[in-house]
């Protein structure tokens, strides 16, 4: 059982291996629609790359390729110089890639703990039936509370079903799961879309913490101000192609909008 990385705001930062992610000439078509047209980008440890563009630019398709939901028609994902095949979400997780999807990918009828440990359940066994394993619910509940407390995520109880939580609380659970388990790369697709001001501030702070720990963060956002606040670079997609790769330190919101619309 691999223990999750519990992010404490004021604790010593855990060791994270150096990571170099490269996407090389990714192409993906859905029938006659070419969603990705030879997209290439790279990111290294400690970088937060904002992936921006208008609706239909190819951002979500790129995230699905990286998280193993869809397979690109051609092109490569390269991790630390080695081409890898990300053919399923399970493979992505094994490679240290965690994703917060726009639809959150939570199961409403399961409680918070079960969603945090989905496909990573802690199993123990005793006696002659030990080979089959038993879910260690008590241990998972305790660990789930530690994860959420470490992230300062306020949930009434880790035993609450997801369907009883507010939209903002659900979003926080999805973000917390990715942050807690992300070993190398965390991909966030509009992570603050359903959050209030305070919870949005927390998400942005979590992104900064991940950056400080050396984890690669890919952030999709329509909020240009947030991109400038937390991203080191902004990669602009238009009609499935990369049209700009920019250092955010020298940009304004207007600059980003001009690149997205093609004015610049």
């Amino acid at each position: 059982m691999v223990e999750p990385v519990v992010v404490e705001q004021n604790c010593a930062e855990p060791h994270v291996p150096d990571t170099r992610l490269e996407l090389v000439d990714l192409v993906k078509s859905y029938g006659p629609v070419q969603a990705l047209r030879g997209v290439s980008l790279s990111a290294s440890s400690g970088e937060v790359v904002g992936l921006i563009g208008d609706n239909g630019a190819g951002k979500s398709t790129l995230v699905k390729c990286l998280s193993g939901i869809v397979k690109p028609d051609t092109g490569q994902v390269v991790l630390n110089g080695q081409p890898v095949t990300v053919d399923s979400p399970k493979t992505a997780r094994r490679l240290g890639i965690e994703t917060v999807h726009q639809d959150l990918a939570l199961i409403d009828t399961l409680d918070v703990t079960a969603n945090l440990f989905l496909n990573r359940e802690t199993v123990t066994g005793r006696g002659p039936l030990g080979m089959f394993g038993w879910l260690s619910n008590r241990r998972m509940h305790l660990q789930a509370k530690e994860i959420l407390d470490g992230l300062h995520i306020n949930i009434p109880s880790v035993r609450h079903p997801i369907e009883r939580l507010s939209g903002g609380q659900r979003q926080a659970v999805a973000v917390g799961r990715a942050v807690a388990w992300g070993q190398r790369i965390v991909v966030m697709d509009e992570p603050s879309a359903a959050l209030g001001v305070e919870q949005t501030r927390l998400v942005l702070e979590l992104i900064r913490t991940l950056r400080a720990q050396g984890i690669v963060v890919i952030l999709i956002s329509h909020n240009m101000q947030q991109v400038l606040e937390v991203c080191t670079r902004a990669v602009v997609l238009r009609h499935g192609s990369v049209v700009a790769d920019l250092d955010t330190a020298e940009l304004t919101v207007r600059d980003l909008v001009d690149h997205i619309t093609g004015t610049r």
Side-chain angles (χ1 to χ4, degrees), residues 111-118 120 144 147-148 158 173 176-177 181:
D111 64 19
V112 172
T113 296
N115 274 277
L116 284 174
F117 282 85
L118 196 62
R120 304 178 182 85
I147 290 170
L148 296 180
V158 295
V173 170
R177 180 174 62 189
W181 292 98

Side-chain angles (χ1 to χ4, degrees), residues 123-146:
V123 178
T124 59
R126 294 180 181 178
L129 296 180
M131 68 181 72
F132 299 107
W134 300 88
L135 290 180
S136 181
N137 290 316
R138 183 175 180 277
R139 181 181 175 189
M140 286 191 293
H141 284 315
L142 290 173
Q143 216 172 350
K145 189 175 186 309
E146 290 176 1

Side-chain angles (χ1 to χ4, degrees), residues 154-158 160 165 169:
N154 186 22
I155 300 295
S157 170
V158 295
H160 273 39
L165 301 181
Q169 289 170 329

Side-chain angles (χ1 to χ4, degrees), residues 25-74:
D25 294 329
L26 294 189
V27 173
K28 180 63 183 177
S29 296
Y30 299 98
V33 179
Q34 198 167 13
L36 299 178
R37 304 169 182 263
V39 170
S40 296
L41 64 86
S42 63
S44 298
S45 292
E47 282 195 303
V48 181
V49 177
L51 197 60
I52 62 176
D54 212 344
N55 292 333
K59 304 184 301 297
S60 293
T61 300
L62 191 63
V63 166
K64 289 175 181 177
C65 289
L66 187 54
S67 59
I69 293 176
V70 302
K71 185 177 180 181
D73 300 329
T74 60

Side-chain angles (χ1 to χ4, degrees), residues 218-259:
I218 307 293
L219 172 67
I220 294 180
S221 179
H222 282 96
N223 189 314
M224 298 300 101
Q225 186 57 49
Q226 290 180 11
V227 169
L228 292 180
E229 284 183 35
V230 298
C231 295
T232 52
R233 287 165 43 221
V235 174
V236 185
L237 286 178
R238 191 185 315 132
H239 304 309
S241 298
V242 174
V243 295
D245 189 336
L246 310 163
D247 184 343
T248 57
E250 302 173 357
L251 298 177
T252 66
V253 169
R254 184 65 198 180
D255 293 330
L256 294 179
V257 172
D258 286 347
H259 281 287

Side-chain angles (χ1 to χ4, degrees), residues 148-168:
L148 296 180
D149 287 348
L151 299 173
H152 300 282
I153 293 173
N154 186 22
I155 300 295
S157 170
V158 295
R159 298 173 186 267
H160 273 39
I162 291 293
E163 62 190 0
R164 291 175 56 186
L165 301 181
S166 68

Side-chain angles (χ1 to χ4, degrees), residues 79-216:
L79 192 58
N80 289 347
Q82 298 296 320
V84 296
T85 300
V86 190
D87 53 8
S88 70
K90 182 177 181 180
T91 300
R93 290 192 295 270
R94 180 175 55 79
L95 293 169
I97 303 169
E98 291 291 333
T99 305
V100 181
H101 295 283
Q102 205 163 6
D103 63 3
L104 304 186
L106 300 174
I107 299 177
D108 285 348
T109 53
L110 297 182
D111 64 19
V112 172
T113 296
N115 274 277
L116 284 174
F117 282 85
L118 196 62
N119 296 317
R120 304 178 182 85
E121 291 81 1
T122 301
V123 178
T124 59
R126 294 180 181 178
L129 296 180
M131 68 181 72
F132 299 107
W134 300 88
L135 290 180
S136 181
N137 290 316
R138 183 175 180 277
R139 181 181 175 189
M140 286 191 293
H141 284 315
L142 290 173
Q143 216 172 350
K145 189 175 186 309
E146 290 176 1
I147 290 170
L148 296 180
D149 287 348
L151 299 173
H152 300 282
I153 293 173
N154 186 22
I155 300 295
S157 170
V158 295
R159 298 173 186 267
H160 273 39
I162 291 293
E163 62 190 0
R164 291 175 56 186
L165 301 181
S166 68
Q169 289 170 329
R170 295 181 190 199
Q171 188 88 356
V173 170
V175 171
R177 180 174 62 189
V179 171
W181 292 98
Q183 301 296 312
R184 290 177 178 271
I185 300 161
V186 173
V187 183
M188 297 185 173
D189 191 351
E190 299 286 355
S192 63
L195 302 184
V197 173
E198 182 59 26
Q199 289 174 317
T200 295
R201 183 199 61 77
L202 172 59
V203 169
L204 297 181
E205 191 58 39
L206 288 175
I207 292 172
R208 294 187 184 97
T209 301
L210 292 174
R211 176 186 173 188
Q213 292 178 353
I215 291 175
V216 173

